[in-house]
Amino acid sequence: MSDRAKQTAYLKVKEAVMERIRAGDWKPGDLIPKEEDLARDFGCARMTANRALRELAEEGVIERRKRAGSRVALQTGRNALFEIPRVDKEIEATGAAYRYRLLERKIAEPAALARSRLGLEPGEKALKLVCLHYANETPFQLEERWINLAAAPEAAAESFQEINPNLWLLERLPWSEVEHVVSAVNASRWAAERLEVPEGEALLLVERRTWNEAARITYARFLHPGRFYSLSAGGQR
Amino acid sequence: MSDRAKQTAYLKVKEAVMERIRAGDWKPGDLIPKEEDLARDFGCARMTANRALRELAEEGVIERRKRAGSRVALQTGRNALFEIPRVDKEIEATGAAYRYRLLERKIAEPAALARSRLGLEPGEKALKLVCLHYANETPFQLEERWINLAAAPEAAAESFQEINPNLWLLERLPWSEVEHVVSAVNASRWAAERLEVPEGEALLLVERRTWNEAARITYARFLHPGRFYSLSAGGQR
DNA sequence: AAGTGGTCTAGACCACGGG
DNA sequence: CCGTGGTCTAGACCACTTC
């Protein structure tokens, strides 16, 4: 079940809020009490309530906006278990400097594979982006991404010169479903040149599809040279 | 590009610490200044420095222990959460026939890498197994596994001719922690022959470590040709 | 035993953004 | 405009761990 260790005050608040959400007292989209009220109710300082809510927001349980207050996140799913990896954070977590570069941007009809992943009809167009993510000036990830303009029309107006597509999407479109497929491929000449590895080198390919109730949002292929992912899971449940 | 937003004090501290780490001033294992000192140096409150260090610890950049101080994390790469393990029986789930074959079984001292994964001292021995898993008579997975005999002494009496090590372990030893590391490698001649693929073919390598409160149990390397993993995540929990 | 992180408080000012 | 979150402070006590 959940933590019974209600020793620290901010955890008490956090657990209590989660409990109300779990119980259905506060449903997705509902406004929850503001920090000040929570602090009063729990007899703690506002900073304590703040930390509880901040962590819940980081975990995706609630969404917060100034002036508008905190609401239970719409996506029923807990991002706590399945978070979308963020390249920039992963890289910075290793102590390396993160750099992003856009290689290509065009609006075109996707090839058959990408088209089916996005659920588009033949003839429909989408936004294609190709970009490179560097860790300390070394290519770390080559990204090939299609964005469904029907789901994210604002993308057509974004240059993606400065912000990476993943961040841009995360900030704008809530997803409710994600699928990852991981495989290994030999580097094509095209990929090898960009990743600065020998042709034929084994690359880790991660394909990701994201969608919500309304539409398929994006399909992306990430290519990584060498070692990459570390998935860890504790033994609960 | 990293954050230019040095507006907030705790981010200033965080960035500054990361910068020192990146620059190599503070190397993995090094002690970094304590909160109090950082607060003084940056002219902020200790809670502000605390938040900076707390976030760095959450991101895996540093490790903190009471009384012992904060150190630059030793492990350079990790992060990115995914899902919990999967079962080998998924071959059957695809409708293919599953077959298992033991290729090798011996008790020996593991090489350095495996030894450290199992947490053994030089000279200690462990049980090594090599086996192949087939889907419809096609090699699907090549498994190289070390079992810590201190944690699972019964394994020494099991032939593993008929039952695959994963199942055997699952039925006997409850694990509380699992770690997976996924990467891509080019097929060595040895692996290529057994998997019946060309040498140099890109293979998906999954390393798995399993342990419980008492001891490290097993370390396994799984090699897969071609496509392999499919993780999907909706909302649950 | 003592030093360090972990947390807490009761105030405060600011910035963003909904109304 | 003005309420809400975002952050900050200058103290404080506690808990854990190493010494």
Side-chain angles (χ1 to χ4, degrees), chain B residues 203-221:
Chain B
L203 302 178
L204 198 67
L205 166 63
V206 178
E207 295 170 276
R208 179 189 299 168
R209 283 197 298 164
T210 312
W211 62 96
N212 60 25
E213 317 74 39
R216 313 222 186 156
I217 301 172
T218 186
Y219 166 64
R221 297 164 61 86

Side-chain angles (χ1 to χ4, degrees), chain B residues 13 35-36 38-39 44-54:
Chain B
V13 178
E35 295 180 351
E36 205 177 345
L38 282 176
C44 65
R46 188 172 75 102
M47 266 226 78
T48 304
N50 173 280
R51 179 163 178 194
L53 295 191
R54 188 187 344 128

Side-chain angles (χ1 to χ4, degrees), chain B residues 30-44:
Chain B
D30 282 0
L31 206 58
I32 71 177
K34 57 187 181 190
E35 295 180 351
E36 205 177 345
D37 291 349
L38 282 176
R40 185 168 34 70
D41 295 351
F42 285 87
C44 65

Side-chain angles (χ1 to χ4, degrees), chain A residues 18 22 47 51 54-55 58 76-78 80-83 85 89-90 92-100 117 136 162-164 175-186 200-205 207 226-237, chain B residues 1-3 14-15 18 21-22 47 50-51 54-55 58-61 75-85 117 175-186 200-205 207 221 224 226-237:
Chain A
M18 287 200 63
R22 267 191 219 119
M47 266 224 81
R51 179 163 177 193
R54 191 193 335 132
E55 291 197 355
E58 273 169 13
T76 86
R78 300 310 213 264
L81 278 182
F82 309 110
E83 78 183 24
K89 284 206 161 187
E90 281 177 28
E92 294 194 334
T94 70
Y98 171 71
R99 190 162 71 84
Y100 159 79
R117 294 283 188 273
N136 276 346
E162 300 299 330
I163 185 170
N164 85 48
W175 49 270
S176 52
E177 297 283 337
V178 184
E179 183 192 70
H180 289 99
V181 178
V182 181
S183 53
V185 297
N186 293 99
E201 178 97 342
L203 303 178
L204 198 68
L205 166 63
E207 295 171 276
R227 177 137 314 191
F228 160 63
Y229 247 173
S230 169
L231 325 171
S232 68
Q236 65 235 337
R237 297 163 61 72
Chain B
M1 62 212 135
S2 41
D3 302 9
K14 198 173 158 183
E15 289 287 327
M18 288 203 60
I21 294 176
R22 264 187 221 127
M47 266 226 78
N50 173 280
R51 179 163 178 194
R54 188 187 344 128
E55 291 197 357
E58 275 169 12
E59 292 166 17
V61 177
Q75 215 183 87
T76 54
R78 40 151 141 165
N79 285 350
L81 264 113
F82 255 155
E83 213 188 312
I84 309 206
R117 295 283 187 274
W175 48 268
S176 55
E177 296 284 337
V178 182
E179 183 191 69
H180 288 102
V181 178
V182 180
S183 53
V185 297
N186 293 99
E201 178 96 341
L203 302 178
L204 198 67
L205 166 63
E207 295 170 276
R221 297 164 61 86
H224 293 78
R227 180 134 315 189
F228 158 65
Y229 234 176
S230 173
L231 314 173
S232 70
Q236 57 158 327
R237 186 185 170 201

Side-chain angles (χ1 to χ4, degrees), chain B residues 87-105:
Chain B
V87 207
D88 278 326
K89 282 201 163 186
E90 64 183 39
I91 289 180
E92 291 179 341
T94 70
Y98 171 69
R99 191 162 71 84
Y100 159 79
R101 192 154 72 93
L102 180 67
L103 301 183
E104 186 185 335
R105 179 192 187 283

